[in-house]
Amino acid sequence: MEENIIVELKRPSVTIGKDQFRQIDDYLDFIIQQDQFNSQMRKWKFYVISNKVDIF
C-alpha cells in the first residue's frame, strides 16, 4: 500500500476556514481526475495546518 500525504502549511496569522478547506478539496478533485494518481493501492491524506481554526 502506498500512502501519500499532502500538507498545506498556512502562515500563523491565517485562520483555517471554509476557503482553506475548499483548497484541499481542489487538490482532491485534481488527484481524482488523474489516472496516474488513482489506484486501490494508493491512500491519500490531506492536512491543513495553522494556529487557528474557524469552526463554521
Side-chain angles (χ1 to χ4, degrees):
M1 177 65 93
E2 178 183 294
E3 186 171 3
N4 299 279
I5 300 171
I6 295 179
V7 179
E8 179 74 23
L9 299 174
K10 299 295 184 182
R11 288 176 298 189
S13 61
V14 174
T15 300
I16 297 172
K18 289 181 182 180
D19 289 340
Q20 289 71 34
F21 282 110
R22 284 189 188 123
Q23 186 177 21
I24 299 297
D25 279 340
D26 290 343
Y27 296 153
L28 175 61
D29 289 342
F30 177 79
I31 289 169
I32 288 172
Q33 295 173 9
Q34 306 301 313
D35 289 337
Q36 69 266 30
F37 295 138
N38 289 300
S39 166
Q40 291 189 5
M41 297 303 295
R42 286 198 171 114
K43 182 178 180 179
W44 290 88
K45 291 184 179 182
F46 298 85
Y47 295 95
V48 59
I49 298 173
S50 186
N51 286 343
K52 297 177 262 178
V53 176
D54 180 20
I55 299 176
F56 41 88

